[in-house]
Amino acid sequence: NAGVTQTPKFQVLKTGQSMTLQCAQDMNHEYMSWYRQDPGMGLRLIHYSVGAGITDQGEVPNGYNVSRSTTEDFPLRLLSAAPSQTSVYFCASSYLGEDTQYFGPGTRLTVL
Amino acid sequence: QQQVKQSPQSLIVQKGGISIINCAYENTAFDYFPWYQQFPGKGPALLIAIRPDVSEKKEGRFTISFNKSAKQFSLHIMDSQPGDSATYFCAAGTGSARQLTFGSGTQLTVLP
């Protein structure tokens, strides 16, 4: 049982490049979400999903796309990276109706 | 718009002392109030949580106090230990999907 895994751990991009941050969980959780963490601002919700084929926007969705084709995976796509997207990104998952969310180890992204 | 305000930003406590971190929220629809602990380079992990139908919850050395009328809640760490040194986030959530709104975080340092 690996829990929530994220790849890569670190990534450096140039402005305008695209990339996908991977998130996977092996706990059969229905709910998955993406947060970004910036100094002094806590964690802010980007997108979330309550099940395969269902996604919705959080507090800061602009510049990010998500899809949920399987229960296990919830990738986050940056189509054209901007320096403002430099941040640490965390994926989290939980059972619907249960309170505890499990966070992955994070991906540190730098956009030059 | 910061819906959950957390203070202080940083806190230094002697070993054996009491650490107190405070949060205030605005949205009365919030019905779930967790505290997360985060060590450097790791994802946040749920520490303790409370629902608004109780005023206090204790788990070991950690206690949440909740004041519904004032829309405030706090984390008390009794007998603080150097191993408690971490960043603590309060959060508030609503709905079965538990979309969390986080505070800005408190960096706690417990001196030996």
Side-chain angles (χ1 to χ4, degrees):
Chain A
N1 192 337
V4 181
T5 58
Q6 292 184 239
T7 56
K9 289 186 68 67
F10 303 94
Q11 183 70 49
V12 179
L13 291 178
K14 294 181 179 179
T15 297
Q17 287 185 317
S18 62
M19 79 159 296
T20 300
L21 280 64
Q22 301 292 344
C23 173
Q25 52 89 12
D26 60 358
M27 297 173 281
N28 204 31
H29 287 164
E30 300 96 344
Y31 181 75
M32 296 186 73
S33 58
W34 278 100
Y35 292 86
R36 59 177 289 174
Q37 183 176 24
D38 302 294
M41 302 191 70
L43 289 87
R44 291 179 293 168
L45 183 63
I46 304 171
H47 285 285
Y48 65 94
S49 169
V50 297
I54 305 170
T55 64
D56 208 344
Q57 297 181 350
E59 180 185 356
V60 289
N62 293 340
Y64 307 95
N65 283 345
V66 293
S67 60
R68 184 98 178 267
S69 57
T70 68
T71 300
E72 296 79 17
D73 301 297
F74 190 44
L76 179 72
R77 298 184 185 87
L78 286 70
L79 297 180
S80 179
S84 61
Q85 294 178 304
T86 293
S87 187
V88 181
Y89 291 85
F90 289 99
C91 179
S93 72
S94 70
Y95 291 112
L96 278 180
E98 288 196 6
D99 295 338
T100 303
Q101 289 198 42
Y102 298 88
F103 282 80
T107 294
R108 183 174 293 274
L109 175 67
T110 301
V111 183
L112 302 176
Chain B
Q1 180 183 356
Q2 189 177 8
Q3 295 193 56
V4 179
K5 295 184 178 181
Q6 183 172 346
S7 63
Q9 187 174 6
S10 63
L11 180 62
I12 299 175
V13 175
Q14 292 286 340
K15 178 182 176 181
I18 302 174
S19 304
I20 301 174
I21 304 171
N22 300 299
C23 283
Y25 63 97
E26 299 170 2
N27 188 348
T28 55
F30 289 141
D31 60 0
Y32 172 65
F33 302 90
W35 284 90
Y36 280 82
Q37 180 188 56
Q38 184 181 32
F39 293 104
K42 305 293 185 181
L46 180 66
L47 185 63
I48 187 172
I50 198 168
R51 295 176 180 271
D53 53 345
V54 296
S55 61
E56 186 175 281
K57 182 174 182 180
K58 183 176 182 180
E59 291 185 359
R61 297 185 293 109
F62 301 92
T63 300
I64 297 179
S65 296
F66 183 80
N67 186 328
K68 188 175 181 178
S69 60
K71 293 188 287 185
Q72 296 176 348
F73 59 110
S74 59
L75 175 69
H76 296 236
I77 305 175
M78 311 299 290
D79 187 26
S80 298
Q81 299 296 313
D84 297 331
S85 296
T87 300
Y88 292 80
F89 293 95
C90 64
T94 183
S96 62
R98 294 304 176 201
Q99 300 159 48
L100 297 176
T101 299
F102 281 82
S104 55
T106 296
Q107 186 168 350
L108 172 66
T109 302
V110 181
L111 301 176

